Every structure is written in C-alpha cells, then in structure tokens.
Amino acid sequence: MNWWNAKNFRHKRPYLERRMHMIKAVRAFFDEQGFMEVETPILQVCPAMDVHLHGFATTLKGVDLKNKKQLYLHTSPEFEMKKLLVAGLPKIYQICHVFRNGEDSKRHSAEFTMIEWYRAKASYKEIMDDCERLLFEVSAALGIDTLRYKKHECDPFAEVERLSVAEAFERYAGINLENCLDNDQLFKELIEEQGMHTAEDDRWDDLFFRVMMEKIEPFLGMGNATILYDYPVSMASLSRKKESDPRFAERFELYVCGIELANAFSELTDPAEQRKRFVEEMDTKEKLYGERYPVDEDFIAAIEHGMPKAGGIALGLDRLAMLCSGAEDIDDVLWCGKV
C-alpha cells in the first residue's frame, strides 16, 4: 500500500480495527486455557516438507566470508515448536509472520500471519474441538453473529460439520475415492465423467486437487463451518496414519464460507517414517520444480529423542480477519498491504 494514499487507508481502517480486536480475542482464548505462548526462530535450515510449498532463501555468511550457510525464512514454525514439545511443554501456541514464495491472490500473501498451536497427549480430535470453541469465543468477543466472505455466510455458533474427505468426494463429485487411491487411470476416467478436464501428464495429486477446487471446496463451510478430515496418506507428509485404515491420515482442514482456514494433524512421531516421507517429498519437489531442501537433522533427532503423541494445527489469521470483517481482499486486513 502507498502510505501517502490517505483515502485508501481510510477504506482499510475498519477492517484493521476488527483485525486488532480479533487477535486480542484469539490470544485471550489460548491464554485462558493455560497455553504457553512461545517464540521460535524465523530462519530455518528447512522451510517446509511439502512438495508444493516454496521458501524464501537467504545466506548466512561465515566470519571468513567463505563459509556460507543456506537458510530460509520459515513457511511455518512447525519444526521448532515440535522440538519444544519434545522438551516437555504440554500446550503451546505462537502467533507469527510466515513466508511462502509464489503465493499471491485475494486470499494469499507471500508474507502472512499464522497462529500455530499444539497439544501433547492429544490427537486431531482435540484440535477439532479447539477450532469449534475458537470460532465461538472470538465471534462472541467481537460481538458478531455471522462470518462473511462475499455473498457467503457462516454461523460461528452453529455446530461444526465434520465430513470425511471420502464422504465429500461422494457427495459433491460423485466419486468413490477409496476405489481410486491406487488407480490413477480410474480416477482420471471418473473425473472426466464429471465433465472436468484432465491432462495426459496429470499425477494423482493433480487430479485430487482439481476435484477439491472445482467440486468440493466451494461448498464447504456454508451456513456452518466444516471440518474436512481423513486425507489420503499421500496428502499428509507430517501426519500419523489412521490405525483403522492406513490408506488415510489423521489430517483435517477447517473451512468457512468456502475458504480454507486451517490445516491440522495428529502428529507423526516415528523418526524413520518421517525421514522416509521427507525424502519422498523432496524427490518429487526436485522432479517438479528443480529444487529440494535439506533435512532438518535437529528435528529428526528431537523425534528420535521421544516426541509425545500430539495434535497440532496452523490457522491463517489474515483469512480469519477477512471473515470477521467482511473483507473480500486479504490486502484490506494487512496493515501495510502486500509486498
């Protein structure tokens, strides 16, 4: 934003004031539950384990200017916060700026504000409960009874819908996802039957994301919030597999007015499995994008030391501010605008 454009700032001010009160309410919610607010480093050895997340690189110069170390701005404080779980902290949260290279739209900013929280000795089910209470408490604190995005509305006090990914594919796309987990060709044929475009070089996850974007996400969180849970295990590199069906992982996303607001897991605590998944993700990233990130060996060592069973989540506060204020562009709820 051009700071000398006073008219533009007058337009933004109501949204920013609502954002300020919202963040105070979010912090009060976690403080009242006995969570410890923590701060972790922004510079990290590995910015992300996800194939499609890209970090901003920087270089730490050695004293002799020859010994240089590649570091990245974090895309999430996840690795560092899990180290604190290993150190014995039972309930922690962090509000921080994170950085993702290549994200820019009315719902995305390359730099944005996230809250991430973890519960030791918990699973994604307890985090689901947190999400439901958080929407309730923040809305009550702000004195609003409706979350809005464009023409869509959501009642934050209504019971949150809990819908499995497989159920969503059946309901909104008419596709039996379980039959397609190991069959790219069948998946493609079923998608084409629904009138969606496919390409010869589409990978399984390309097809999955296309169905999600075109057939499912636009209908989630309308009237009441939706928790979409149990993703195919290939779509959850940091999540624990379901014991009852290891084809799926204990991961969920929270949707309000068609907007993905948060991403959560029952955390993976097996160091060998974590390293295996990391290598697989980086192999795919290198194939698709020509880059890979090094393993955060301190993170793996922490898990080896003994990470407790835990549930964790990352929630985009800028998007929540949009929903609380009725803003239609993320730039409206950023104090200085997008970079």
Side-chain angles (χ1 to χ4, degrees):
M1 184 188 77
N2 181 351
W3 269 102
W4 304 111
N5 188 338
K7 182 179 179 180
N8 189 35
F9 187 70
R10 285 198 298 270
H11 160 76
K12 289 165 64 95
R13 183 165 179 167
Y15 300 126
L16 295 171
E17 289 180 348
R18 179 60 61 85
R19 174 196 175 97
M20 174 187 69
H21 292 300
M22 180 207 74
I23 289 180
K24 288 182 178 180
V26 169
R27 183 171 271 114
F29 172 79
F30 287 99
D31 290 346
E32 289 168 5
Q33 291 191 71
F35 278 75
M36 180 181 293
E37 184 173 7
V38 301
E39 296 180 7
T40 58
I42 290 175
L43 289 174
Q44 295 188 354
V45 171
C46 174
M49 196 176 291
D50 189 288
V51 170
H52 304 291
L53 284 185
H54 305 280
F56 286 95
T58 184
T59 301
L60 180 64
K61 295 181 178 180
V63 176
D64 59 4
L65 301 184
K66 295 179 182 179
N67 202 10
K68 297 180 180 180
K69 182 178 181 181
Q70 184 76 69
L71 294 174
Y72 300 85
L73 299 177
H74 66 183
T75 61
S76 159
E78 180 169 5
F79 297 159
E80 300 300 319
M81 290 184 74
K82 287 180 178 178
K83 294 172 189 177
L84 295 178
L85 290 178
V86 173
L89 299 185
K91 296 194 298 183
I92 55 177
Y93 78 96
Q94 180 170 188
I95 296 174
C96 63
H97 282 221
V98 295
F99 309 84
R100 296 183 180 181
N101 198 348
E103 299 198 4
D104 184 30
S105 74
K106 289 190 174 183
R107 298 186 188 183
H108 297 86
S109 174
E111 178 181 358
F112 63 98
T113 304
M114 174 186 289
I115 180 167
E116 196 150 325
W117 74 90
Y118 293 87
R119 287 180 175 271
K121 300 180 180 179
S123 71
Y124 70 157
K125 292 181 179 179
E126 285 79 11
I127 306 299
M128 290 181 189
D129 295 338
D130 285 340
C131 287
E132 192 159 357
R133 291 195 301 269
L134 180 64
L135 291 178
F136 181 101
E137 295 293 342
V138 169
S139 299
L142 296 180
I144 58 177
D145 58 12
T146 305
L147 300 174
R148 291 186 173 86
Y149 180 67
K150 296 184 176 179
K151 297 180 180 180
H152 307 305
E153 296 184 350
C154 176
D155 181 354
F157 304 107
E159 182 179 357
V160 175
E161 177 188 33
R162 301 191 181 189
L163 179 71
S164 76
V165 173
E167 289 170 340
F169 267 71
E170 189 69 52
R171 178 189 299 180
Y172 295 112
I175 293 174
N176 186 321
L177 184 63
E178 294 187 15
N179 290 343
C180 305
L181 291 175
D182 299 311
N183 192 328
D184 293 23
Q185 185 58 38
L186 175 60
F187 199 15
K188 183 176 291 188
E189 290 172 0
L190 293 175
I191 289 172
E192 290 172 347
E193 287 177 8
Q194 298 299 320
M196 285 180 283
H197 170 75
T198 66
E200 186 175 342
D201 60 349
D202 275 339
R203 297 175 302 113
W204 193 93
D205 60 339
D206 294 325
L207 299 170
F208 179 89
F209 286 129
R210 190 165 302 135
V211 176
M212 285 289 296
M213 291 178 63
E214 295 186 22
K215 294 289 187 178
I216 298 175
E217 287 185 336
F219 302 98
L220 301 178
M222 303 298 177
N224 57 325
T226 298
I227 286 175
L228 189 67
Y229 68 92
D230 288 359
Y231 279 70
V233 71
S234 62
M235 314 303 292
S237 61
L238 291 159
S239 179
R240 187 167 65 239
K241 294 179 182 178
K242 288 182 65 67
E243 290 185 5
S244 59
D245 190 345
R247 297 175 302 169
F248 293 91
E250 293 187 352
R251 172 192 174 190
F252 77 81
E253 291 185 317
L254 174 66
Y255 284 86
V256 174
C257 295
I259 294 178
E260 179 209 331
L261 195 56
N263 186 27
F265 306 111
S266 292
E267 302 298 341
L268 180 61
T269 58
D270 181 334
E273 177 66 18
Q274 186 67 90
R275 185 183 293 277
K276 175 177 175 291
R277 292 195 201 175
F278 183 85
V279 171
E280 291 172 350
E281 292 281 309
M282 289 304 103
D283 286 346
T284 303
K285 181 185 282 287
E286 188 167 39
K287 182 178 179 180
L288 291 177
Y289 303 111
E291 67 174 345
R292 67 185 302 130
Y293 301 135
V295 175
D296 184 339
E297 293 294 349
D298 285 344
F299 173 56
I300 299 297
I303 299 177
E304 289 174 342
H305 182 76
M307 180 173 162
K309 176 184 175 183
I313 186 169
L315 184 148
L317 287 175
D318 306 310
R319 289 186 177 183
L320 182 58
M322 292 173 66
L323 293 162
C324 289
S325 65
E328 296 185 9
D329 191 325
I330 196 171
D331 186 73
D332 288 333
V333 297
L334 302 178
W335 284 94
C336 294
K338 293 193 289 187
V339 177

